[in-house]
């Protein structure tokens, strides 16, 4: 919609009402602020929701792979042959043996439930960038050295170099019953994955040491698999599932974390709908301000009509006036949203200081920091939605202005 110089001059004049029309200007300003806040809220919430899902996916799948091949009974015999077959499957990028077992750990009289993970040296090296203290190079087979999560280290009060004791209930049998197996390990490194449950429970050690601790011999409990496309993991691993039928089950990341990611998807849609209603309500303010503007400018509109202004010109003038309010609010909302996202952690800390409340408890939120990941397509959809709502809100007032009969208005002038 291209405006002539005359139409653009009138539209600019109506965007900045005079002294006698300050109330209309106030309503228009409120409309702009309301659209700005609605768009900013949508940008912030959708980016945080996307970041939350992406961070969880990256950290969970990055540590556990896209799928787990788990043996029935917890022990996979001839795992070397199975591993070779999985690695030869088209679409499989990486496959590694894994041992995972819930046990208990003690240190200085403190007892915590943990999940012991036995990994290969190559897999242990993958979390090198997550290490906060110590050195993963110390975790060599037979060294009796382990790496523990940062939250677990905090709960135990353990530091690098301390010796912790792991308890395996499947110990040696005596005339008085089974005596739990107790093995002391040195803490060689402290890591932080960024997912509270992992940082609070994981004890990582070389696979051979885990086999010795759990008395499993040369067997593993599962094989973690990474594929070229996590969304097609079921199709890629279908041949493996058929070949291992009766011996092991293939469980992909969607099944393992189904409840969590489905809840995030539902919450994401619900938040988008609710916040879109906020933008819609804000647009009604534009409608109100334009209706008042048309009522206040009825005489001016009649004079413009008698001077030769067409209905189309008046329609374009008032549509432009209202649409510019919505467009300015949309642009300002996107800018404020990105500023908030950029400074999100300092803002969260500032609110925590002011309110005295812990707004981001990792034990509840899973992640240690507020995540954010903006999707350009979603941002574009939000902007288009706001602009469309703003445009639709201008049609009725603009139509009423264009329908003004100058004869009726100026009859008694």
């Amino acid at each position: 919609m291209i405006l002539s110089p005359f139409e653009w001059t009138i539209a600019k004049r109506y965007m900045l009402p005079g002294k006698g029309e300050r109330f209309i200007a106030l309503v228009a300003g409120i409309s702009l602020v309301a659209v700005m806040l609605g768009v900013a809220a949508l940008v912030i919430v959708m980016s945080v929701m996307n970041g939350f899902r992406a961070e969880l996916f990256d950290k969970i799948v990055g540590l556990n792979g896209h799928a787990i091949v788990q043996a029935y009974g917890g022990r996979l015999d001839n795992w070397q042959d199975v591993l070779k077959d999985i690695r030869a499957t088209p679409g499989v990028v990486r496959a590694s043996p894994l041992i995972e077992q819930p046990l208990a750990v003690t240190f200085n009289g403190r007892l915590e439930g943990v999940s012991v993970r036995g990994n290969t040296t190559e897999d242990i090296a993958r979390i090198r960038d997550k290490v906060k203290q110590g050195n993963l190079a110390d975790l060599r087979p037979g060294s009796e050295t382990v790496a523990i999560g940062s939250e677990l280290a905090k709960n135990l009060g353990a530091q690098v170099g301390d010796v912790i004791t792991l308890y395996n209930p499947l110990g040696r049998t005596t005339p008085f019953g089974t005596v739990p197996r107790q093995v002391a390990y040195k803490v060689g490194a402290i890591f932080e994955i960024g997912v509270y449950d992992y940082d609070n429970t994981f004890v990582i050690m070389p696979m051979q040491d885990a086999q010795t601790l759990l008395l499993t011999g040369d067997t593993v409990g599962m094989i973690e698999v990474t594929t070229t496309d996590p969304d097609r993991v079921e199709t890629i691993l279908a041949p493996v599932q058929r070949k291992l039928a009766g011996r092991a089950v293939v469980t992909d990341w969607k099944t393992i974390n189904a409840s969590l990611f489905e809840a995030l998807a539902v919450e994401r849609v619900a938040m988008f709908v609710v916040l879109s209603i906020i933008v819609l309500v804000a647009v009604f303010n534009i409608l109100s301000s334009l209706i008042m503007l048309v009522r206040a400018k009825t005489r001016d509109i009649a004079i413009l009509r008698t001077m030769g202004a067409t209905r189309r010109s008046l329609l374009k003038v008032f549509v432009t006036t209202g649409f510019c309010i919505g467009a300015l609010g949309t642009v300002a909302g996107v800018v404020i949203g990105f500023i908030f996202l950029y400074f999100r952690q300092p803002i969260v800390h500032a609110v925590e200081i002011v309110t005295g409340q812990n707004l981001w408890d990792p034990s509840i939120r899973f992640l240690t920091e507020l995540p954010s990941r903006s999707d350009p397509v979603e941002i574009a959809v939000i902007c288009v939605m706001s602009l469309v709502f703003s445009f639709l809100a201008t049609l009725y007032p603009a139509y009423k202005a264009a329908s003004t009969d100058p004869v009726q208005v100026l009859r008694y002038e």
Side-chain angles (χ1 to χ4, degrees):
M1 183 173 64
I2 301 176
L3 273 69
S4 67
F6 160 72
E7 293 166 347
W8 182 242
T9 301
I10 300 299
K12 286 193 294 183
R13 171 67 182 81
Y14 286 169
M15 287 181 206
L16 301 170
K19 293 182 180 179
E21 300 156 352
R22 288 178 179 173
F23 183 71
I24 299 176
L26 175 63
V27 175
I30 293 174
S31 304
L32 189 150
V33 172
V35 173
M36 176 186 69
L37 294 178
V39 171
L42 264 174
V43 171
I44 292 168
V45 171
M46 298 309 295
S47 296
V48 169
M49 293 295 295
N50 287 337
F52 198 82
R53 183 185 186 279
E55 286 293 313
L56 278 177
F57 180 83
D58 290 344
K59 294 179 185 298
I60 292 175
V61 174
L63 192 65
N64 292 329
H66 295 158
I68 296 291
V69 179
Q70 189 165 14
Y72 292 118
R75 295 191 179 187
L76 185 62
D77 298 321
N78 300 322
W79 60 269
Q80 292 91 344
D81 295 334
V82 175
L83 182 64
K84 184 178 180 181
D85 291 339
I86 294 174
R87 287 175 173 172
T89 303
V92 172
V93 176
R94 185 181 59 83
S96 301
L98 172 67
I99 297 174
E100 186 169 334
Q101 182 70 33
L103 298 178
V105 63
T106 62
F107 177 74
N108 281 347
R110 298 181 182 180
L111 178 67
E112 295 286 342
V114 297
S115 180
V116 172
R117 288 174 63 97
N119 289 110
T120 63
T121 304
E122 294 78 11
D123 288 337
I124 292 175
R126 288 170 52 211
I127 64 168
R128 184 181 294 109
D129 59 332
K130 307 296 183 182
V131 173
K132 297 297 181 181
Q133 300 176 37
N135 189 355
L136 289 178
D138 295 335
L139 274 69
R140 298 182 301 275
S143 64
E144 296 186 346
T145 303
V146 298
I148 64 176
S150 57
E151 292 296 328
L152 177 60
K154 186 186 302 181
N155 293 337
L156 292 174
Q159 299 290 332
V160 173
D162 290 336
V163 177
I164 60 176
T165 302
L166 289 170
Y167 284 83
N168 180 9
L170 298 178
R172 64 182 184 277
T173 303
T174 69
F176 301 99
T178 301
V179 177
R181 180 177 172 80
Q182 305 178 34
V183 181
Y185 291 92
K186 179 182 176 182
V187 177
I190 296 176
F191 59 86
E192 185 174 303
I193 301 297
V195 179
Y196 179 83
D197 288 350
Y198 291 173
D199 295 334
N200 190 48
T201 58
F202 275 6
V203 175
I204 297 177
M205 63 175 62
M207 190 175 67
Q208 295 85 341
D209 289 359
Q211 290 172 335
T212 301
L213 172 65
L214 300 174
L215 303 175
T216 59
D218 188 20
T219 63
V220 299
M222 60 190 76
I223 295 175
E224 61 177 12
V225 183
T226 302
T227 62
T228 53
D229 186 356
D231 293 324
R232 295 183 56 252
V233 63
E234 294 180 3
T235 304
I236 293 174
L237 294 182
V240 176
Q241 178 70 78
R242 290 192 296 268
K243 191 169 185 177
L244 296 178
R247 297 175 55 197
V249 59
V250 178
T251 308
D252 60 42
W253 66 272
K254 299 177 184 178
T255 304
I256 297 173
N257 306 285
S259 58
L260 177 59
F261 284 102
E262 286 178 5
L264 285 175
V266 172
E267 186 176 1
R268 182 168 170 269
V269 173
M271 293 300 293
F272 183 83
V273 172
V274 171
L275 293 174
S276 297
I277 294 175
I278 295 177
V279 176
L280 183 60
V281 172
V283 167
F284 276 110
N285 289 328
I286 298 178
L287 176 64
S288 302
S289 64
L290 281 181
I291 289 175
M292 288 189 292
L293 182 62
V294 171
R295 295 280 292 179
K297 298 294 183 181
T298 301
R299 186 171 176 273
D300 293 2
I301 295 170
I303 294 173
L304 288 172
R305 288 295 311 280
T306 60
M307 294 175 64
T310 64
R311 291 174 182 265
R312 180 181 178 85
S313 293
L314 292 174
L315 187 71
K316 290 162 67 176
V317 165
F318 283 94
V319 167
T320 301
T321 302
F323 185 77
C324 284
I325 295 174
L328 289 174
T330 300
V331 173
V334 172
V335 172
I336 289 178
F338 279 119
I339 291 175
F340 183 95
L341 292 173
Y342 185 80
F343 295 103
R344 63 188 182 279
Q345 270 320 120
I347 291 174
V348 170
H349 292 324
V351 174
E352 288 178 340
I353 292 173
V354 172
T355 61
Q357 301 293 323
N358 185 4
L359 300 181
W360 195 262
D361 186 353
S363 63
I364 299 174
R365 311 290 185 183
F366 295 102
L367 301 178
T368 55
E369 291 186 351
L370 179 65
S372 171
R373 184 170 296 186
S374 299
D375 184 353
V377 175
E378 277 190 354
I379 301 300
V381 169
I382 292 171
C383 293
V384 170
M385 179 190 69
S386 176
L387 294 175
V388 169
F389 283 170
S390 300
F391 174 76
L392 294 177
T394 66
L395 295 181
Y396 176 73
Y399 172 76
K400 294 296 290 183
S403 302
T404 300
D405 185 354
V407 175
Q408 294 296 329
V409 174
L410 300 177
R411 174 179 295 177
Y412 303 105
E413 292 294 332

